[in-house]
Amino acid sequence: MDPIIVILGGVVGAVAAYVVPLWLIKSGRSPRLAAKREVSTAISNGVLPPNADIWSWRTRLVENRRSVARGSWAMLAAGLLMSFVALANFADEGDFFLTWVFMWLAATLLAAAFGMHRQVKRADALLTAVSAGVTGSTNSGAR
């Protein structure tokens, strides 16, 4: 396999996965992606945004947690598969550069799976805080 094809595929995949969604959020063309980003930011920060409605945020946090938990297993499987591809390329005495590209991809996928697992743990902590009423938000959800 030609290394240029692998590298070009990785660049196209990175643009499709990261650059295009960021552009859609910043241009205001995708409110759904902006809402998902808002939830991810709240999970990363460990606090809800000011004046957040706790009851609607609880649902959003649970949905995000489920989605990330499912995705982390898929990312782990992809990382393990890519490590086997790298090992097979190395054992077959394939292109040395391509073996390192596969190893880099496997390490990146496994690191992403670990990061997703941490995000699930942070979502659990924020859900616990929301349930206890400690959210960093001025709105307690009472009307």
Side-chain angles (χ1 to χ4, degrees), residues 27-49:
S27 67
R29 295 179 186 200
S30 181
R32 184 181 60 84
L33 286 176
K36 283 185 173 187
R37 178 131 175 141
E38 185 181 31
V39 173
S40 294
T41 302
I43 290 171
S44 295
N45 294 338
V47 295
L48 296 180

Side-chain angles (χ1 to χ4, degrees), residues 92-142:
D92 192 33
E93 297 180 7
D95 186 12
F96 181 73
F97 177 72
L98 193 57
T99 300
W100 282 106
V101 169
F102 288 146
M103 288 299 292
W104 178 79
L105 287 171
T108 302
L109 289 167
L110 293 172
F114 177 72
M116 292 172 84
H117 177 71
R118 287 188 62 203
Q119 187 177 6
V120 168
K121 295 294 183 192
R122 286 181 177 169
D124 287 341
L126 188 54
L127 278 167
T128 302
V130 165
S131 298
V134 182
T135 62
S137 173
T138 57
N139 184 357
S140 64

